[in-house]
Amino acid sequence: MPRPALIIGSVAIDRVATPFAQSDRILGGAATYAAIAASYFAPTRLVGVVGGDFPPAFIARYRKHGIDLEGLRIEPAGKTFYWSGRYREHFAGRDTLEIQLNVFENFSPILPPSYRATPFVMLGNIQPALQNHVVDQLAGPRRPYILADTFDLWIHTTRPELERLLKRIDLFVINEEESLLLTGERNLVLAGRHLRRMGPRAVVIKKGGHGSLLFHPDGYFAISAYPVTKFVDPTGAGDSYAGAMIGYLASVNRTDFAALKRAVAYATAVSSLTVESFSVDRLSSAGRRTIDARYRELVKITRF
Amino acid sequence: MPRPALIIGSVAIDRVATPFAQSDRILGGAATYAAIAASYFAPTRLVGVVGGDFPPAFIARYRKHGIDLEGLRIEPAGKTFYWSGRYREHFAGRDTLEIQLNVFENFSPILPPSYRATPFVMLGNIQPALQNHVVDQLAGPRRPYILADTFDLWIHTTRPELERLLKRIDLFVINEEESLLLTGERNLVLAGRHLRRMGPRAVVIKKGGHGSLLFHPDGYFAISAYPVTKFVDPTGAGDSYAGAMIGYLASVNRTDFAALKRAVAYATAVSSLTVESFSVDRLSSAGRRTIDARYRELVKITRF
């Protein structure tokens, strides 16, 4: 029986420019991408904060996916976190053009009492102190399974707090560059092993268009990316990847190596949809059948 | 029954510096790496040229692998092609420090009559005009299966000749950057499809530590890299990859999609050995059992 998944992270209004197109005032934020991804697999709860300017259409988008919004705090007098960024030529990195933290500046995630026993939790990329603060609030009859994401800024600025977090989580999902930065390794296989020694039982290193790697006590797993040809905007790909993982694990209520491998494959399928449009448009409209078809396609294109 | 494989390309004496170590006067050249790789699977014939300075120990190395050297021309009065290169920090590209073409300058590959009916042929990275010249000499009762490699220099300088070659070969093996350069595409999936429209029935795009992609009329296949942790020198990885492919195909005497996928997996296993030492040291000493073990490991780490 599917268990619920809890997603904590940023909710934002974005402006994104790529070398080919741009968009403005679109729904964004790590928690948005992760929650919609997770919602395809399990009942999903969202903890975040928005301002009075948050469009009703964005709330409707969450509701369409059945996302529980009891944990979404609305501050009517404030404005929603705003981020504007531009991807460089060939998507070789991106530059932040403008950030208005607004209501996100003093965000301190408070779990509603009904969320505290959620058995599957994703700590999106927020300050490690806040991620630890969420862990402090978790209190159920069973030890929750916790996935955390991070960001290069926290590796540079609040490393001790991040190291403390790593000892408290089960699954760490990080991208290639950040895994090397955090460990000082020059090789992703060594970086993955190194990260496991820092605490989490399982580690996933995401390599964007080159797939991802899973490190687990029972073995190593490598998956290629889904062959996307309509690449529009990578924003949120990593967040929807992590959200799909926690959602899938909650849906099967398992966290063993075999389940984690399948979670990685579903995450690969889901994040391939995210990059095919701005915002969550493609992710949200795709439907579970498209995700399942991509999962089966991944099985097919990687077997020999 | 295994069929013979024919390898044409450069034989060199190399000097290689990496960010961590260096070596001098080591056995190199695309044909060297490819022939030793192919020799693990099929009887292998080598066409190349060396000078009077070519050390007997290097000849002995080929002989250890049972490589047929009738096509290896020795010019006693000349010197062997010499290449010196240095890899940049984090292996982000390499710079050629010195090239002495020597006997390679006027190399025009002539196939001994006994080689002309070889059913599996690899055209290593030499000028496309010379690759075409080899194709002209092939004359057997059966149409040979031809694999070709190339190099960014030929894309820039002799593109029409390269385009002519592409219409005459069966399998084109190219690296990521070169596939984008040659096609003008920005996406590897589109580049692979584009290359197939230029002639070859099958295309492999190599992504180094990120694995490789196979494009074939019967489908698409993606494989992750073998998880190498002792990375010493990438020189020859691509050549041994292509050599393993042609050797494996010759060994099973098949060129269908299923055989090509297995050839890609063997090539992945073999090239993972090449990068673990300078020159062909690790590749040559590993033995078929180590290659088979890595192949099985690749099956294991990619299944879900």
Side-chain angles (χ1 to χ4, degrees):
Chain A
M1 204 192 88
R3 302 303 164 106
L6 170 59
I7 312 287
I8 296 98
S10 60
V11 173
I13 296 176
D14 285 351
R15 176 187 173 97
V16 180
T18 74
F20 308 106
Q22 66 176 344
S23 62
D24 197 13
R25 300 203 67 78
I26 57 177
L27 176 57
T32 297
Y33 286 101
I36 292 177
S39 75
Y40 279 114
F41 303 94
T44 300
R45 299 164 174 175
L46 175 60
V47 168
V49 62
V50 297
D53 60 340
F54 196 69
F58 292 177
I59 296 284
R61 182 72 73 137
Y62 295 137
R63 294 213 190 281
K64 178 199 149 195
H65 288 276
I67 296 168
D68 179 333
L69 299 177
E70 190 187 342
L72 181 67
R73 182 179 160 89
I74 301 176
E75 296 190 6
K79 288 180 72 182
T80 304
F81 175 34
Y82 177 82
W83 177 79
S84 168
R86 180 161 53 203
Y87 288 87
R88 293 179 208 146
E89 196 68 29
H90 306 301
F91 292 97
R94 75 176 180 201
D95 301 299
T96 291
L97 303 180
E98 188 180 349
I99 276 195
Q100 298 171 16
L101 287 174
N102 298 329
V103 294
F104 195 55
E105 184 159 13
N106 298 307
F107 176 56
S108 178
I110 304 295
L111 306 193
S114 65
Y115 283 16
R116 290 189 189 147
T118 312
F120 291 87
V121 178
M122 169 178 160
L123 305 172
N125 158 38
I126 52 177
Q127 292 172 54
L130 297 182
Q131 291 175 312
N132 275 312
H133 178 54
V134 172
V135 178
D136 293 339
Q137 297 172 62
L138 293 167
R142 138 181 176 182
R143 198 183 160 284
Y145 188 84
I146 305 177
L147 178 164
D149 188 7
T150 196
F151 181 47
D152 57 4
L153 179 64
W154 312 133
I155 298 172
H156 288 299
T157 60
T158 65
R159 190 185 174 103
E161 191 74 29
L162 177 59
E163 288 178 355
R164 189 166 85 86
L165 176 75
L166 288 177
K167 296 186 173 61
R168 308 178 76 189
I169 64 169
D170 303 279
L171 170 59
F172 190 42
V173 178
I174 187 169
N175 77 28
E176 185 173 2
E177 298 75 25
E178 288 156 2
S179 75
L180 300 176
L181 176 67
L182 181 51
T183 63
E185 301 283 358
R186 290 190 181 84
N187 171 300
L188 296 180
V189 180
L190 297 177
R193 292 182 190 165
H194 188 135
L195 289 170
R196 283 197 57 242
R197 289 196 298 274
M198 294 174 79
R201 185 170 166 80
V203 169
V204 168
I205 298 180
K206 294 168 295 172
K207 308 189 294 171
H210 294 302
S212 43
L213 312 174
L214 167 64
F215 301 83
H216 185 273
D218 294 345
Y220 169 82
F221 173 63
I223 193 167
S224 298
Y226 183 88
V228 168
T229 53
K230 190 200 166 209
F231 189 90
V232 174
D233 173 15
T235 307
D239 306 310
S240 57
Y241 183 107
M245 277 202 84
I246 204 71
Y248 175 76
L249 294 171
S251 77
V252 294
N253 193 23
R254 282 176 53 186
T255 62
D256 56 290
F257 187 43
L260 280 162
K261 287 195 273 189
R262 287 193 286 269
V264 160
Y266 271 112
T268 301
V270 167
S271 57
S272 76
L273 293 164
T274 302
V275 304
E276 292 184 349
S277 75
F278 283 111
S279 186
V280 294
D281 294 359
R282 178 79 172 110
L283 172 65
S284 171
S285 66
R288 178 67 191 259
R289 283 173 65 174
T290 303
I291 293 168
D292 288 342
R294 291 200 172 191
Y295 179 93
R296 288 192 302 271
E297 182 75 7
L298 280 166
V299 172
K300 199 172 142 200
I301 66 175
T302 58
R303 281 281 163 97
F304 60 96
Chain B
M1 204 190 89
R3 303 303 165 104
L6 170 60
I7 312 287
I8 295 99
S10 61
V11 174
I13 296 176
D14 286 350
R15 176 188 173 95
V16 180
T18 73
F20 308 107
Q22 66 177 345
S23 63
D24 198 11
R25 299 202 68 77
I26 56 176
L27 176 57
T32 297
Y33 285 101
I36 293 177
S39 75
Y40 280 114
F41 303 95
T44 300
R45 301 164 174 174
L46 175 61
V47 168
V49 63
V50 298
D53 61 339
F54 197 68
F58 292 178
I59 296 286
R61 182 71 74 136
Y62 294 137
R63 294 214 190 281
K64 178 198 149 195
H65 287 276
I67 296 167
D68 179 334
L69 299 177
E70 190 187 343
L72 181 66
R73 182 179 159 89
I74 300 178
E75 296 190 7
K79 288 180 71 182
T80 305
F81 175 34
Y82 176 82
W83 176 78
S84 168
R86 181 163 51 203
Y87 288 88
R88 294 179 208 147
E89 195 69 29
H90 306 302
F91 291 95
R94 76 177 180 201
D95 300 300
T96 291
L97 302 179
E98 189 181 349
I99 276 194
Q100 298 171 15
L101 288 174
N102 298 330
V103 296
F104 195 56
E105 184 158 14
N106 297 307
F107 177 55
S108 180
I110 304 294
L111 306 194
S114 66
Y115 282 18
R116 290 187 190 147
T118 312
F120 290 87
V121 178
M122 170 178 159
L123 306 172
N125 159 37
I126 52 177
Q127 291 172 55
L130 297 181
Q131 292 176 311
N132 274 312
H133 179 53
V134 171
V135 178
D136 293 338
Q137 297 171 62
L138 293 168
R142 138 179 174 182
R143 197 183 162 285
Y145 187 84
I146 306 177
L147 178 163
D149 188 7
T150 197
F151 181 47
D152 56 4
L153 180 64
W154 313 133
I155 298 172
H156 287 299
T157 61
T158 65
R159 190 185 173 104
E161 191 73 29
L162 177 59
E163 288 178 356
R164 189 166 83 87
L165 176 74
L166 288 177
K167 295 185 173 60
R168 307 177 76 190
I169 64 169
D170 303 280
L171 170 59
F172 190 42
V173 178
I174 187 169
N175 77 28
E176 185 173 3
E177 297 76 23
E178 289 155 2
S179 75
L180 300 176
L181 177 66
L182 181 51
T183 61
E185 301 283 0
R186 291 190 180 87
N187 172 298
L188 296 178
V189 180
L190 297 177
R193 292 182 191 164
H194 188 136
L195 289 170
R196 284 198 56 243
R197 289 195 299 273
M198 295 174 80
R201 185 168 165 81
V203 169
V204 168
I205 298 180
K206 295 169 294 172
K207 307 189 295 171
H210 293 303
S212 43
L213 311 175
L214 167 65
F215 302 83
H216 185 274
D218 293 346
Y220 168 83
F221 173 60
I223 192 168
S224 299
Y226 183 89
V228 169
T229 53
K230 190 199 166 210
F231 190 89
V232 174
D233 173 15
T235 308
D239 306 310
S240 57
Y241 183 106
M245 277 202 85
I246 203 73
Y248 174 77
L249 294 172
S251 78
V252 295
N253 193 22
R254 281 175 56 185
T255 61
D256 56 290
F257 187 43
L260 280 162
K261 287 194 274 189
R262 287 192 286 268
V264 160
Y266 271 112
T268 300
V270 167
S271 58
S272 77
L273 293 164
T274 302
V275 304
E276 291 184 349
S277 75
F278 282 112
S279 186
V280 295
D281 295 359
R282 178 80 172 112
L283 172 65
S284 172
S285 65
R288 178 67 192 259
R289 282 173 64 175
T290 303
I291 293 168
D292 288 342
R294 290 199 175 192
Y295 179 93
R296 288 191 302 271
E297 182 74 8
L298 280 166
V299 172
K300 200 173 140 198
I301 67 176
T302 58
R303 281 281 163 96
F304 60 94

